[in-house]
Amino acid sequence: MFKIKVMDTNDTNYEWQGYDSESLLDGAQRNGIKIPYACKGGGCGLCKVKVEAGSFKRGKSSIAVLPEDERVYNHSLACKTYPKGDMEILLNINTIKSY
């Protein structure tokens, strides 16, 4: 079990306990944090986040919505990102809402 810390651009912080078998998107939903998405398959790009700290495994996703240059800078799709340790992720203020 890992601590997942989510920050938005207003320095609002949310935290939950995540699992390596659960995507960031599923973990956020389970904990009442809404991250926009459409497909959950790595093809739409709506759930893009920036990993500020921590280790993770990235599942397959479309290069069209997550190009290599963004991957290098730790951008990832929440639906295809699996924690491998404690993490900090950054979301845009317009994309995060608490239920």
Side-chain angles (χ1 to χ4, degrees):
M1 194 176 327
F2 310 113
K3 181 172 70 172
I4 311 299
K5 182 177 180 182
V6 181
M7 302 169 293
D8 67 23
T9 54
N10 280 340
D11 293 326
T12 302
N13 297 319
Y14 305 89
E15 287 186 12
W16 78 83
Q17 295 297 316
Y19 305 94
D20 61 358
S21 61
E22 179 179 60
S23 72
L24 292 179
L25 180 59
D26 289 339
Q29 289 177 330
R30 178 174 54 80
N31 286 278
I33 299 168
K34 185 174 182 182
I35 298 174
Y37 72 95
C39 70
K40 277 193 161 182
C44 73
L46 289 177
C47 64
K48 192 179 294 183
V49 299
K50 182 168 191 303
V51 178
E52 294 286 314
S55 60
F56 63 97
K57 178 183 175 190
R58 184 183 291 126
K60 292 182 182 180
S61 61
S62 171
I63 202 78
V65 298
L66 188 64
E68 284 299 326
D69 60 331
E70 290 183 359
R71 294 170 193 243
V72 168
Y73 290 104
N74 280 342
H75 291 252
S76 197
L77 302 181
C79 69
K80 293 295 180 181
T81 304
Y82 300 87
K84 294 297 176 195
D86 292 349
M87 293 182 71
E88 293 182 12
I89 60 174
L90 178 64
L91 301 177
N92 183 299
I93 182 65
N94 297 321
T95 65
I96 186 166
K97 297 175 187 164
S98 185
Y99 289 118

Coordinates of all heavy atoms in Angstrom, one line a residue:
M1 N 0.8 -1.2 0.0 CA 0.0 0.0 0.0 C 0.9 1.2 0.0 O 1.9 1.3 0.7 CB -0.9 0.0 1.2 CG -2.0 1.0 1.1 SD -3.2 0.9 2.5 CE -3.3 -0.7 3.0
F2 N 0.5 2.2 -0.8 CA 1.4 3.4 -1.0 C 0.5 4.7 -0.7 O -0.7 4.7 -1.0 CB 1.9 3.5 -2.4 CG 2.6 2.2 -2.8 CD1 2.1 1.5 -3.9 CD2 3.8 1.8 -2.2 CE1 2.7 0.3 -4.3 CE2 4.4 0.6 -2.6 CZ 3.8 -0.1 -3.6
K3 N 1.2 5.7 -0.3 CA 0.5 7.0 -0.1 C 0.6 7.8 -1.4 O 1.6 8.0 -2.0 CB 1.2 7.8 1.0 CG 0.5 9.2 1.2 CD 1.0 9.9 2.4 CE 2.4 10.4 2.2 NZ 3.0 11.2 3.2
I4 N -0.6 8.1 -1.9 CA -0.7 8.9 -3.2 C -1.2 10.3 -2.8 O -2.3 10.5 -2.2 CB -1.7 8.3 -4.1 CG1 -1.5 6.8 -4.3 CG2 -1.7 9.1 -5.5 CD1 -0.1 6.4 -4.9
K5 N -0.4 11.3 -3.1 CA -0.7 12.7 -2.8 C -1.0 13.4 -4.1 O -0.2 13.4 -5.0 CB 0.5 13.4 -2.1 CG 0.2 14.8 -1.7 CD 1.4 15.4 -0.9 CE 1.1 16.8 -0.5 NZ 2.3 17.4 0.2
V6 N -2.2 14.0 -4.2 CA -2.6 14.8 -5.4 C -2.6 16.2 -5.0 O -3.2 16.7 -4.0 CB -4.0 14.3 -5.8 CG1 -4.4 15.1 -7.1 CG2 -4.0 12.8 -6.0
M7 N -1.9 17.0 -5.9 CA -1.9 18.5 -5.7 C -2.5 19.1 -6.9 O -2.4 18.6 -8.0 CB -0.5 19.0 -5.6 CG 0.2 18.3 -4.4 SD 2.0 18.6 -4.4 CE 2.5 17.7 -5.9
D8 N -3.2 20.2 -6.7 CA -3.7 21.0 -7.9 C -2.9 22.4 -7.9 O -2.1 22.6 -7.0 CB -5.2 21.2 -7.9 CG -5.7 22.0 -6.7 OD1 -5.0 22.9 -6.2 OD2 -6.9 21.9 -6.4
T9 N -3.2 23.2 -8.8 CA -2.5 24.4 -9.0 C -2.8 25.5 -7.9 O -2.1 26.5 -7.8 CB -2.7 25.1 -10.4 OG1 -4.1 25.2 -10.6 CG2 -2.1 24.2 -11.4
N10 N -3.7 25.2 -7.0 CA -4.0 26.1 -5.9 C -3.4 25.6 -4.6 O -3.8 26.0 -3.5 CB -5.5 26.3 -5.7 CG -6.1 27.3 -6.7 OD1 -5.4 28.1 -7.2 ND2 -7.4 27.3 -6.9
D11 N -2.5 24.6 -4.7 CA -1.9 23.9 -3.6 C -2.9 23.2 -2.7 O -2.7 23.0 -1.5 CB -1.1 24.9 -2.7 CG 0.1 25.5 -3.5 OD1 0.7 24.7 -4.3 OD2 0.5 26.6 -3.3
T12 N -4.0 22.8 -3.2 CA -5.0 22.0 -2.5 C -4.4 20.6 -2.6 O -4.0 20.1 -3.6 CB -6.4 22.0 -3.2 OG1 -6.8 23.4 -3.1 CG2 -7.4 21.2 -2.4
N13 N -4.4 19.9 -1.5 CA -3.9 18.5 -1.4 C -4.9 17.5 -1.1 O -5.8 17.7 -0.2 CB -2.8 18.4 -0.4 CG -1.6 19.3 -0.7 OD1 -1.2 19.4 -1.9 ND2 -1.0 20.0 0.3
Y14 N -4.9 16.4 -1.7 CA -5.7 15.2 -1.4 C -4.8 14.0 -1.3 O -3.8 14.0 -2.0 CB -6.7 15.0 -2.6 CG -7.5 16.2 -3.0 CD1 -7.1 17.1 -3.9 CD2 -8.8 16.3 -2.4 CE1 -7.9 18.2 -4.2 CE2 -9.6 17.4 -2.7 CZ -9.1 18.3 -3.7 OH -9.9 19.4 -4.0
E15 N -5.1 13.1 -0.4 CA -4.3 11.9 -0.3 C -5.2 10.7 -0.2 O -6.3 10.8 0.3 CB -3.4 12.0 1.0 CG -2.3 13.0 0.9 CD -1.4 12.9 2.1 OE1 -1.5 12.0 3.0 OE2 -0.6 13.8 2.3
W16 N -4.6 9.6 -0.6 CA -5.3 8.3 -0.4 C -4.2 7.2 -0.4 O -3.1 7.4 -0.7 CB -6.3 8.0 -1.4 CG -5.9 7.6 -2.8 CD1 -5.6 6.3 -3.2 CD2 -5.7 8.4 -3.9 NE1 -5.2 6.3 -4.5 CE2 -5.3 7.6 -5.0 CE3 -5.9 9.7 -4.2 CZ2 -5.0 8.0 -6.3 CZ3 -5.6 10.2 -5.5 CH2 -5.2 9.4 -6.5
Q17 N -4.6 6.0 0.1 CA -3.7 4.8 0.0 C -4.0 4.1 -1.3 O -5.1 3.7 -1.6 CB -4.0 3.9 1.2 CG -3.7 4.5 2.6 CD -2.2 4.8 2.7 OE1 -1.4 4.0 2.4 NE2 -1.9 6.0 3.2
G18 N -2.9 4.0 -2.1 CA -3.1 3.3 -3.4 C -2.4 1.9 -3.4 O -1.6 1.6 -2.5
Y19 N -2.7 1.2 -4.4 CA -2.2 -0.2 -4.6 C -1.6 -0.3 -6.0 O -2.0 0.4 -6.9 CB -3.3 -1.2 -4.5 CG -4.1 -1.0 -3.2 CD1 -5.3 -0.3 -3.1 CD2 -3.7 -1.7 -2.0 CE1 -6.0 -0.1 -1.9 CE2 -4.4 -1.6 -0.8 CZ -5.5 -0.8 -0.8 OH -6.2 -0.6 0.4
D20 N -0.5 -1.1 -6.1 CA 0.1 -1.3 -7.4 C -0.8 -2.0 -8.4 O -0.5 -1.9 -9.6 CB 1.5 -2.0 -7.2 CG 1.3 -3.4 -6.7 OD1 0.2 -3.9 -6.4 OD2 2.4 -4.1 -6.6
S21 N -1.8 -2.6 -8.0 CA -2.8 -3.2 -8.9 C -3.9 -2.3 -9.3 O -4.8 -2.7 -10.1 CB -3.3 -4.5 -8.3 OG -4.1 -4.2 -7.1
E22 N -3.9 -1.1 -8.8 CA -5.0 -0.1 -9.1 C -4.5 1.1 -9.7 O -3.5 1.7 -9.2 CB -5.7 0.2 -7.8 CG -6.8 1.2 -7.9 CD -7.4 1.5 -6.5 OE1 -6.7 2.0 -5.6 OE2 -8.6 1.2 -6.3
S23 N -5.0 1.5 -10.9 CA -4.6 2.7 -11.5 C -4.8 4.0 -10.7 O -5.7 3.9 -9.8 CB -5.3 2.9 -12.9 OG -6.6 3.3 -12.7
L24 N -4.1 5.0 -11.0 CA -4.4 6.3 -10.3 C -5.8 6.7 -10.5 O -6.4 7.2 -9.5 CB -3.4 7.4 -10.7 CG -1.9 7.2 -10.4 CD1 -1.1 8.3 -11.0 CD2 -1.7 7.1 -8.9
L25 N -6.3 6.6 -11.6 CA -7.7 7.0 -11.9 C -8.7 6.2 -11.0 O -9.6 6.8 -10.4 CB -8.0 6.8 -13.4 CG -9.5 7.2 -13.8 CD1 -9.7 8.7 -13.5 CD2 -9.7 6.9 -15.3
D26 N -8.5 4.9 -11.0 CA -9.4 4.1 -10.2 C -9.3 4.4 -8.7 O -10.3 4.5 -7.9 CB -9.2 2.6 -10.4 CG -9.7 2.2 -11.8 OD1 -10.6 2.9 -12.4 OD2 -9.2 1.1 -12.2
G27 N -8.1 4.6 -8.2 CA -7.8 5.0 -6.8 C -8.5 6.3 -6.5 O -9.0 6.5 -5.4
A28 N -8.3 7.3 -7.4 CA -8.9 8.6 -7.2 C -10.4 8.5 -7.1 O -11.1 9.0 -6.2 CB -8.5 9.6 -8.3
Q29 N -11.0 7.7 -8.0 CA -12.5 7.6 -8.0 C -12.9 6.9 -6.7 O -13.9 7.3 -6.1 CB -12.9 6.8 -9.2 CG -12.8 7.5 -10.5 CD -13.2 6.7 -11.7 OE1 -13.0 5.5 -11.7 NE2 -13.7 7.4 -12.7
R30 N -12.2 5.9 -6.2 CA -12.5 5.2 -5.0 C -12.5 6.1 -3.8 O -13.2 5.9 -2.8 CB -11.6 4.0 -4.8 CG -11.7 3.2 -3.6 CD -10.8 2.0 -3.5 NE -9.4 2.2 -3.7 CZ -8.6 2.7 -2.7 NH1 -9.1 2.9 -1.5 NH2 -7.3 2.9 -3.0
N31 N -11.7 7.2 -3.9 CA -11.5 8.1 -2.8 C -12.2 9.4 -2.9 O -12.0 10.4 -2.2 CB -10.0 8.3 -2.5 CG -9.4 7.1 -1.8 OD1 -9.5 6.9 -0.6 ND2 -8.8 6.2 -2.6
G32 N -13.2 9.5 -3.9 CA -14.0 10.7 -4.1 C -13.3 11.8 -4.8 O -13.8 12.9 -4.7
I33 N -12.2 11.6 -5.5 CA -11.6 12.6 -6.3 C -11.8 12.4 -7.7 O -11.6 11.3 -8.3 CB -10.0 12.6 -6.0 CG1 -9.8 12.8 -4.5 CG2 -9.3 13.6 -6.9 CD1 -8.4 12.6 -4.1
K34 N -12.4 13.4 -8.4 CA -12.8 13.2 -9.7 C -11.7 13.7 -10.7 O -11.3 14.9 -10.6 CB -14.1 14.0 -10.0 CG -14.6 13.8 -11.4 CD -16.0 14.5 -11.6 CE -16.5 14.2 -12.9 NZ -17.8 14.9 -13.2
I35 N -11.2 12.8 -11.5 CA -10.3 13.2 -12.6 C -11.1 12.9 -13.9 O -11.6 11.8 -14.1 CB -9.0 12.3 -12.6 CG1 -8.3 12.5 -11.2 CG2 -8.2 12.6 -13.8 CD1 -7.1 11.6 -11.1
P36 N -11.2 13.9 -14.8 CA -11.9 13.7 -16.0 C -11.3 12.5 -16.8 O -10.1 12.3 -16.8 CB -11.8 15.0 -16.8 CG -11.4 16.0 -15.7 CD -10.7 15.2 -14.7
Y37 N -12.2 11.8 -17.5 CA -11.8 10.7 -18.4 C -12.9 10.4 -19.3 O -14.0 10.8 -19.1 CB -11.4 9.4 -17.6 CG -12.6 8.7 -17.0 CD1 -13.2 7.6 -17.7 CD2 -13.1 9.1 -15.8 CE1 -14.3 7.0 -17.1 CE2 -14.2 8.4 -15.2 CZ -14.8 7.4 -15.9 OH -15.9 6.7 -15.4
A38 N -12.6 9.7 -20.4 CA -13.6 9.3 -21.3 C -13.5 7.8 -21.6 O -14.5 7.1 -21.7 CB -13.5 10.0 -22.6
C39 N -12.3 7.2 -21.8 CA -12.2 5.9 -22.3 C -11.6 4.9 -21.3 O -11.9 3.7 -21.4 CB -11.3 5.9 -23.6 SG -9.6 6.2 -23.3
K40 N -10.8 5.3 -20.4 CA -10.1 4.4 -19.4 C -9.2 3.4 -20.2 O -8.8 2.4 -19.6 CB -11.1 3.6 -18.5 CG -11.5 4.4 -17.3 CD -12.2 3.5 -16.3 CE -12.2 4.1 -15.0 NZ -12.8 3.2 -14.0
G41 N -8.9 3.7 -21.4 CA -8.1 2.7 -22.2 C -6.8 3.3 -22.7 O -6.1 2.7 -23.5
G42 N -6.5 4.6 -22.3 CA -5.2 5.2 -22.7 C -5.3 5.8 -24.1 O -4.3 6.1 -24.7
G43 N -6.5 6.1 -24.6 CA -6.6 6.6 -25.9 C -7.1 8.1 -26.0 O -7.0 8.7 -27.1
C44 N -7.8 8.6 -25.0 CA -8.4 9.9 -25.1 C -7.5 11.0 -24.5 O -7.6 12.2 -25.0 CB -9.8 9.9 -24.4 SG -9.7 9.9 -22.6
G45 N -6.7 10.8 -23.5 CA -5.8 11.8 -23.0 C -6.5 12.7 -21.9 O -5.8 13.6 -21.4
L46 N -7.7 12.6 -21.6 CA -8.4 13.5 -20.7 C -7.9 13.3 -19.3 O -7.9 14.3 -18.5 CB -9.9 13.2 -20.7 CG -10.6 13.7 -21.9 CD1 -12.1 13.3 -21.8 CD2 -10.5 15.2 -22.1
C47 N -7.3 12.2 -18.9 CA -6.9 12.0 -17.5 C -5.4 12.2 -17.3 O -4.8 11.7 -16.4 CB -7.3 10.6 -17.1 SG -6.5 9.3 -18.0
K48 N -4.8 13.0 -18.2 CA -3.3 13.3 -18.1 C -3.0 14.0 -16.8 O -3.6 14.9 -16.4 CB -2.9 14.1 -19.3 CG -1.4 14.2 -19.5 CD -1.0 15.0 -20.7 CE -1.5 14.4 -22.0 NZ -1.1 15.1 -23.2
V49 N -1.9 13.5 -16.2 CA -1.4 14.1 -15.0 C 0.1 14.2 -15.1 O 0.7 13.7 -16.0 CB -1.7 13.2 -13.7 CG1 -3.2 13.0 -13.5 CG2 -1.0 11.8 -13.8
K50 N 0.7 14.9 -14.2 CA 2.2 15.0 -14.1 C 2.6 14.4 -12.8 O 2.2 14.8 -11.7 CB 2.7 16.5 -14.2 CG 4.2 16.5 -14.2 CD 4.7 17.9 -14.5 CE 6.2 18.0 -14.8 NZ 7.0 17.5 -13.8
V51 N 3.5 13.4 -12.9 CA 4.1 12.8 -11.7 C 5.2 13.6 -11.2 O 6.2 13.8 -11.9 CB 4.5 11.3 -12.0 CG1 5.1 10.7 -10.7 CG2 3.4 10.5 -12.5
E52 N 5.0 14.2 -10.0 CA 6.0 15.1 -9.4 C 7.1 14.3 -8.7 O 8.3 14.7 -8.6 CB 5.4 16.1 -8.5 CG 4.5 17.1 -9.2 CD 5.3 18.2 -10.0 OE1 6.2 18.7 -9.5 OE2 4.9 18.4 -11.2
A53 N 6.7 13.2 -8.1 CA 7.6 12.4 -7.3 C 7.1 11.0 -7.2 O 5.9 10.8 -7.2 CB 7.8 13.0 -5.9
G54 N 8.0 10.0 -7.1 CA 7.6 8.7 -6.9 C 7.8 7.8 -8.1 O 8.1 8.2 -9.2
S55 N 7.7 6.5 -7.8 CA 7.9 5.5 -8.9 C 6.6 4.9 -9.3 O 5.7 4.8 -8.5 CB 8.9 4.4 -8.5 OG 8.4 3.7 -7.3
F56 N 6.5 4.6 -10.6 CA 5.2 4.1 -11.1 C 5.5 3.3 -12.4 O 6.6 3.3 -13.0 CB 4.3 5.3 -11.5 CG 4.8 6.2 -12.5 CD1 4.4 6.0 -13.9 CD2 5.7 7.2 -12.2 CE1 4.9 6.9 -14.9 CE2 6.2 8.1 -13.2 CZ 5.8 7.9 -14.5
K57 N 4.5 2.5 -12.7 CA 4.6 1.7 -14.0 C 3.5 2.3 -14.9 O 2.4 2.6 -14.5 CB 4.2 0.2 -13.7 CG 4.2 -0.6 -15.0 CD 3.8 -2.0 -14.7 CE 3.7 -2.8 -16.0 NZ 3.1 -4.1 -15.8
R58 N 3.9 2.5 -16.1 CA 3.0 3.1 -17.1 C 2.5 2.0 -18.0 O 3.3 1.3 -18.7 CB 3.7 4.2 -17.9 CG 2.8 4.9 -18.9 CD 3.5 6.0 -19.7 NE 3.9 7.1 -18.9 CZ 5.1 7.6 -18.8 NH1 6.1 7.0 -19.5 NH2 5.4 8.6 -18.1
G59 N 1.2 1.8 -18.1 CA 0.6 0.9 -19.1 C 0.6 1.4 -20.5 O 1.0 2.6 -20.7
K60 N 0.2 0.7 -21.4 CA 0.1 1.1 -22.8 C -0.9 2.2 -23.0 O -2.0 2.2 -22.4 CB -0.3 -0.1 -23.7 CG 0.8 -1.2 -23.8 CD 0.3 -2.2 -24.7 CE 1.4 -3.3 -24.8 NZ 1.0 -4.4 -25.7
S61 N -0.5 3.2 -23.8 CA -1.3 4.3 -24.1 C -1.0 4.9 -25.5 O 0.1 4.6 -26.0 CB -1.3 5.4 -23.0 OG 0.0 5.9 -22.9
S62 N -1.9 5.6 -26.0 CA -1.7 6.2 -27.4 C -0.5 7.2 -27.4 O -0.5 8.1 -26.5 CB -3.0 6.8 -27.9 OG -2.7 7.6 -29.0
I63 N 0.4 7.1 -28.3 CA 1.4 8.1 -28.5 C 0.9 9.4 -29.0 O 1.5 10.5 -28.7 CB 2.5 7.5 -29.4 CG1 3.9 8.2 -29.2 CG2 2.1 7.6 -30.9 CD1 4.6 7.8 -28.0
A64 N -0.3 9.4 -29.6 CA -0.9 10.6 -30.1 C -1.4 11.5 -28.9 O -1.4 12.7 -29.0 CB -2.1 10.3 -31.0
V65 N -1.8 10.9 -27.8 CA -2.3 11.7 -26.6 C -1.2 11.9 -25.6 O -1.4 12.7 -24.7 CB -3.6 11.2 -26.0 CG1 -4.7 11.2 -27.1 CG2 -3.4 9.8 -25.5
L66 N -0.2 11.0 -25.6 CA 0.9 11.1 -24.6 C 2.2 10.9 -25.4 O 2.8 9.8 -25.4 CB 0.7 10.1 -23.5 CG 1.7 10.2 -22.3 CD1 1.5 11.6 -21.6 CD2 1.6 9.1 -21.4
P67 N 2.7 12.0 -26.1 CA 3.9 11.8 -26.9 C 5.1 11.6 -26.0 O 5.1 11.8 -24.8 CB 4.0 13.2 -27.6 CG 2.8 14.0 -27.3 CD 2.1 13.3 -26.2
E68 N 6.2 11.1 -26.7 CA 7.4 10.7 -26.0 C 8.0 11.9 -25.2 O 8.5 11.7 -24.1 CB 8.4 10.2 -27.0 CG 8.2 8.8 -27.5 CD 8.2 7.8 -26.3 OE1 9.0 7.9 -25.4 OE2 7.4 6.8 -26.4
D69 N 7.9 13.1 -25.8 CA 8.5 14.2 -25.0 C 7.8 14.5 -23.7 O 8.4 15.0 -22.8 CB 8.6 15.5 -25.9 CG 7.2 16.0 -26.4 OD1 6.3 15.1 -26.6 OD2 7.0 17.2 -26.6
E70 N 6.5 14.2 -23.7 CA 5.8 14.4 -22.4 C 6.1 13.2 -21.4 O 6.2 13.5 -20.2 CB 4.2 14.4 -22.7 CG 3.8 15.7 -23.3 CD 2.3 15.8 -23.5 OE1 1.6 14.9 -23.2 OE2 1.9 16.8 -24.1
R71 N 6.3 12.1 -22.0 CA 6.6 10.9 -21.1 C 7.9 11.1 -20.4 O 8.1 10.8 -19.3 CB 6.7 9.6 -22.0 CG 5.3 9.2 -22.5 CD 5.4 8.1 -23.5 NE 4.2 8.0 -24.3 CZ 3.4 6.9 -24.2 NH1 3.8 5.8 -23.5 NH2 2.3 6.8 -24.9
V72 N 8.9 11.7 -21.1 CA 10.2 12.0 -20.6 C 10.1 12.9 -19.3 O 10.8 12.8 -18.4 CB 11.1 12.7 -21.6 CG1 12.4 13.2 -21.0 CG2 11.5 11.6 -22.7
Y73 N 9.1 13.9 -19.4 CA 8.9 14.8 -18.3 C 7.9 14.3 -17.3 O 7.3 15.1 -16.5 CB 8.6 16.2 -18.8 CG 9.7 16.8 -19.5 CD1 9.8 16.9 -20.9 CD2 10.8 17.3 -18.8 CE1 10.9 17.5 -21.5 CE2 11.9 17.9 -19.4 CZ 11.9 18.0 -20.8 OH 13.0 18.5 -21.4
N74 N 7.7 13.0 -17.2 CA 6.8 12.3 -16.3 C 5.3 12.7 -16.4 O 4.6 12.6 -15.4 CB 7.3 12.5 -14.8 CG 8.4 11.6 -14.5 OD1 8.6 10.6 -15.2 ND2 9.1 11.9 -13.5
H75 N 4.9 13.1 -17.6 CA 3.4 13.2 -17.8 C 2.9 11.7 -18.0 O 3.7 10.9 -18.6 CB 3.1 14.0 -19.0 CG 3.4 15.5 -18.8 ND1 2.5 16.4 -18.6 CD2 4.6 16.1 -18.7 CE1 3.0 17.6 -18.4 NE2 4.3 17.4 -18.4
S76 N 1.7 11.5 -17.6 CA 1.2 10.1 -17.7 C -0.3 10.2 -17.7 O -0.9 11.2 -17.3 CB 1.7 9.2 -16.6 OG 1.5 7.9 -16.9
L77 N -0.9 9.1 -18.1 CA -2.4 9.1 -18.1 C -2.8 8.3 -16.8 O -2.3 7.2 -16.6 CB -2.9 8.3 -19.3 CG -2.6 8.9 -20.7 CD1 -3.2 8.1 -21.8 CD2 -3.0 10.4 -20.8
A78 N -3.7 8.9 -16.0 CA -4.0 8.4 -14.7 C -4.6 7.0 -14.9 O -4.5 6.1 -14.0 CB -5.0 9.3 -14.0
C79 N -5.3 6.7 -16.0 CA -6.0 5.4 -16.2 C -5.0 4.3 -16.5 O -5.3 3.1 -16.4 CB -7.0 5.5 -17.4 SG -6.2 5.7 -19.0
K80 N -3.7 4.7 -16.8 CA -2.7 3.7 -17.2 C -1.4 3.9 -16.3 O -0.3 3.5 -16.7 CB -2.3 3.8 -18.7 CG -3.4 3.4 -19.6 CD -3.8 1.9 -19.4 CE -4.9 1.5 -20.4 NZ -5.2 0.1 -20.2
T81 N -1.6 4.5 -15.2 CA -0.5 4.7 -14.3 C -0.7 3.9 -13.0 O -1.7 4.1 -12.3 CB -0.3 6.2 -14.0 OG1 -0.1 6.9 -15.2 CG2 0.9 6.5 -13.1
Y82 N 0.3 3.1 -12.6 CA 0.2 2.2 -11.4 C 1.3 2.5 -10.5 O 2.5 2.4 -10.9 CB 0.2 0.8 -11.9 CG -0.9 0.4 -12.8 CD1 -0.8 0.6 -14.2 CD2 -2.1 -0.1 -12.3 CE1 -1.9 0.3 -15.0 CE2 -3.2 -0.3 -13.1 CZ -3.1 -0.1 -14.5 OH -4.1 -0.4 -15.3
P83 N 1.0 2.9 -9.2 CA 2.1 3.2 -8.3 C 2.9 2.0 -7.9 O 2.5 0.9 -7.8 CB 1.3 3.7 -7.0 CG -0.1 3.2 -7.2 CD -0.3 3.0 -8.6
K84 N 4.2 2.3 -7.8 CA 5.2 1.3 -7.3 C 5.8 1.8 -6.0 O 6.8 1.2 -5.5 CB 6.3 1.1 -8.4 CG 5.7 0.5 -9.6 CD 5.2 -0.9 -9.3 CE 4.5 -1.6 -10.5 NZ 3.7 -2.7 -10.2
G85 N 5.3 2.9 -5.4 CA 5.8 3.4 -4.2 C 4.9 4.7 -3.9 O 4.0 5.0 -4.7
D86 N 5.3 5.4 -2.9 CA 4.6 6.7 -2.6 C 4.7 7.6 -3.8 O 5.8 7.6 -4.5 CB 5.2 7.4 -1.4 CG 4.9 6.6 -0.1 OD1 4.1 5.6 -0.1 OD2 5.5 6.9 0.9
M87 N 3.7 8.4 -4.1 CA 3.7 9.2 -5.3 C 3.1 10.6 -4.9 O 2.3 10.7 -4.0 CB 2.9 8.7 -6.4 CG 3.4 7.4 -7.0 SD 2.4 6.9 -8.4 CE 2.7 8.1 -9.6
E88 N 3.5 11.6 -5.7 CA 2.9 12.9 -5.7 C 2.6 13.2 -7.2 O 3.5 13.1 -8.0 CB 3.8 14.0 -5.2 CG 4.1 13.9 -3.7 CD 5.0 15.0 -3.2 OE1 5.2 16.0 -3.9 OE2 5.5 14.8 -2.0
I89 N 1.3 13.6 -7.4 CA 0.9 13.9 -8.8 C 0.3 15.3 -8.8 O -0.3 15.7 -7.8 CB 0.0 12.8 -9.4 CG1 -1.3 12.7 -8.6 CG2 0.7 11.5 -9.5 CD1 -2.3 11.8 -9.2
L90 N 0.4 16.0 -9.9 CA -0.1 17.3 -10.1 C -1.2 17.3 -11.1 O -1.0 16.7 -12.2 CB 1.0 18.3 -10.5 CG 0.6 19.7 -10.8 CD1 0.1 20.4 -9.5 CD2 1.8 20.5 -11.4
L91 N -2.3 17.9 -10.8 CA -3.4 18.1 -11.7 C -3.7 19.5 -11.9 O -3.4 20.4 -11.0 CB -4.7 17.4 -11.1 CG -4.7 16.0 -10.8 CD1 -6.0 15.5 -10.1 CD2 -4.4 15.1 -12.0
N92 N -4.3 19.9 -13.0 CA -4.7 21.3 -13.3 C -5.9 21.6 -12.4 O -6.8 20.7 -12.2 CB -5.0 21.4 -14.7 CG -5.4 22.8 -15.1 OD1 -6.4 23.3 -14.6 ND2 -4.7 23.4 -16.0
I93 N -6.0 22.8 -11.9 CA -7.1 23.2 -11.0 C -8.5 22.9 -11.7 O -9.5 22.6 -11.1 CB -7.0 24.7 -10.6 CG1 -8.1 25.1 -9.7 CG2 -7.0 25.6 -11.8 CD1 -8.1 24.4 -8.4
N94 N -8.5 23.0 -13.0 CA -9.8 22.9 -13.7 C -10.1 21.4 -13.9 O -11.2 21.1 -14.4 CB -9.7 23.5 -15.1 CG -9.5 25.0 -15.0 OD1 -10.1 25.7 -14.1 ND2 -8.7 25.6 -15.8
T95 N -9.3 20.5 -13.6 CA -9.6 19.1 -13.8 C -9.8 18.3 -12.5 O -10.0 17.1 -12.6 CB -8.4 18.4 -14.6 OG1 -7.2 18.4 -13.8 CG2 -8.2 19.0 -15.9
I96 N -9.7 18.9 -11.4 CA -9.9 18.2 -10.1 C -11.1 18.7 -9.3 O -11.2 19.9 -9.2 CB -8.6 18.1 -9.2 CG1 -8.8 17.2 -8.0 CG2 -8.2 19.5 -8.8 CD1 -7.5 16.9 -7.3
K97 N -11.9 17.8 -8.9 CA -13.1 18.2 -8.1 C -13.3 17.1 -7.1 O -13.1 15.9 -7.4 CB -14.3 18.3 -9.0 CG -14.2 19.4 -10.0 CD -15.4 19.4 -10.9 CE -15.2 20.4 -12.1 NZ -16.1 20.2 -13.2
S98 N -13.7 17.4 -5.9 CA -14.0 16.4 -4.9 C -15.5 16.2 -5.0 O -16.3 17.1 -5.2 CB -13.7 17.0 -3.5 OG -13.9 16.0 -2.6
Y99 N -15.9 14.9 -4.8 CA -17.4 14.6 -4.9 C -18.1 15.1 -3.7 O -17.6 15.3 -2.6 CB -17.5 13.0 -4.9 CG -17.1 12.4 -6.1 CD1 -16.1 11.5 -6.2 CD2 -17.8 12.7 -7.3 CE1 -15.7 10.8 -7.3 CE2 -17.4 12.0 -8.5 CZ -16.4 11.1 -8.5 OH -16.0 10.5 -9.7

